[in-house]
Amino acid sequence: GAVVSQHPSRVICKSGTSVKIECRSLDFQATTMFWYRQFPKKSLMLMATSNEGSKATYEQGVEKDKFLINHASLTLSTLTVTSAHPEDSSFYICSALGAGRNQPQHFGDGTRLSIL
Amino acid sequence: AQSVSQHNHHVILSEAASLELGCNYSYGGTVNLFWYVQYPGQHLQLLLKYFSGDPLVKGIKGFEAEFIKSKFSFNLRKPSVQWSDTAEYFCAVNQAGTALIFGKGTTLSVSS
């Protein structure tokens, strides 16, 4: 089945550091990728929608200068948390959507980000 | 605005009991419906999905869900739960090509 690889799985870093998270579709071309954030004991909240070759569309309340998204190819999207602070600590999950009608989304394993 | 409601926040059952988790959505137009499960410490897994056709959908691990369009509902069922079904369950909705909108989740605890 379709596989989405998300890396790294866990990051612990100091406040002020920028962190890059990669999301790769391994065996299909993902025209669209989504980035979600999950707080402890909470549901997934959509942060942004990323289409290959174009600017990401951010949800209301998500700072685009804080969470930089790049989708340079059909198999790779990256999320960079710039100048991370403790309140950015969370579980970030990507999903990838293949071309064609009624394609299910395939989720990565998530990245646990802890900012000290 | 589009939304997904899961009315049961925490469900506690004994093994072999039957399960039904409610999911209602507020969405105009044609929708796709999903149930995901997240076991402790693991990532999301797709249990089942509905795009069109037979409104009774069968998924993995003995789960099924029924789409009732008139009630905007997509309830998840399992006739007999097992201890290993202890997990967080998320209902999600989207329209073709768009992001999933998730419900807040239901924690299922099954005692042996």
Side-chain angles (χ1 to χ4, degrees), chain A residues 36 38 43 46 102 105 109, chain B residues 38 43 51 98-100 102-103:
Chain A
Y36 296 86
Q38 186 178 28
S43 186
L46 178 67
N102 287 340
Q105 293 185 27
D109 286 350
Chain B
Q38 189 173 32
H43 62 275
F51 289 143
T98 66
L100 290 169
F102 285 84

Side-chain angles (χ1 to χ4, degrees), chain A residues 93-111:
Chain A
I93 306 172
C94 73
S95 72
L97 184 65
R101 186 174 173 80
N102 287 340
Q103 293 296 313
Q105 293 185 27
H106 303 283
F107 284 86
D109 286 350
T111 297

Side-chain angles (χ1 to χ4, degrees), chain A:
Chain A
V3 177
V4 173
S5 172
Q6 190 173 336
H7 179 80
S9 59
R10 186 175 180 92
V11 178
I12 301 172
C13 58
K14 293 181 179 180
S15 185
T17 306
S18 292
V19 178
K20 180 185 282 189
I21 303 169
E22 294 186 347
C23 181
R24 293 181 185 272
S25 56
L26 297 185
D27 54 358
F28 68 101
Q29 293 185 326
T31 53
T32 304
M33 288 186 174
F34 303 99
W35 288 95
Y36 296 86
R37 182 172 179 177
Q38 186 178 28
F39 293 97
K41 305 292 185 183
K42 299 288 186 182
S43 186
L44 282 76
M45 301 298 296
L46 178 67
M47 297 175 67
T49 300
S50 167
N51 290 298
E52 185 266 336
S54 62
K55 290 184 177 180
T57 302
Y58 290 81
E59 295 300 300
Q60 190 173 12
V62 178
E63 298 177 59
K64 61 181 181 180
D65 295 329
K66 172 71 147 176
F67 299 100
L68 299 178
I69 292 172
N70 183 279
H71 193 160
S73 77
L74 285 171
T75 59
L76 174 64
S77 176
T78 60
L79 168 67
T80 301
V81 184
T82 61
S83 187
H85 289 94
E87 59 267 28
D88 299 323
S89 298
S90 193
F91 192 58
Y92 294 87
I93 306 172
C94 73
S95 72
L97 184 65
R101 186 174 173 80
N102 287 340
Q103 293 296 313
Q105 293 185 27
H106 303 283
F107 284 86
D109 286 350
T111 297
R112 174 75 58 194
L113 176 61
S114 300
I115 308 299
L116 305 178

Side-chain angles (χ1 to χ4, degrees), chain B residues 3 16 21 23 33 75 80 84:
Chain B
S3 66
L21 301 182
C23 173
L33 298 149
N75 292 355
S80 176
S84 56

Side-chain angles (χ1 to χ4, degrees), chain B:
Chain B
Q2 302 141 353
S3 66
V4 178
S5 297
Q6 290 183 243
H7 309 297
N8 315 105
H9 178 63
H10 192 179
V11 173
I12 302 172
L13 295 173
S14 299
E15 273 195 318
S18 64
L19 169 73
E20 181 160 3
L21 301 182
C23 173
N24 288 89
Y25 64 93
S26 172
Y27 230 106
T30 303
V31 297
N32 302 318
L33 298 149
F34 306 81
W35 274 98
Y36 285 86
V37 61
Q38 189 173 32
Y39 297 103
Q42 297 189 25
H43 62 275
L44 284 172
Q45 296 179 40
L46 180 65
L47 271 180
L48 48 79
K49 60 185 183 288
Y50 172 81
F51 289 143
S52 63
D54 188 344
L56 184 61
V57 180
K58 294 192 183 298
I60 61 171
K61 306 184 188 222
F63 287 91
E64 65 178 31
E66 184 175 12
F67 170 50
I68 303 179
K69 189 175 181 179
S70 61
K71 295 184 178 180
F72 298 90
S73 69
F74 190 56
N75 292 355
L76 180 71
R77 299 194 292 250
K78 185 170 184 178
S80 176
V81 295
Q82 300 172 314
W83 176 81
S84 56
D85 292 324
T86 295
E88 191 82 14
Y89 291 82
F90 295 98
C91 180
V93 176
N94 80 340
Q95 292 180 311
T98 66
L100 290 169
I101 306 298
F102 285 84
K104 292 187 176 182
T106 298
T107 302
L108 173 64
S109 300
V110 180
S111 58
S112 57

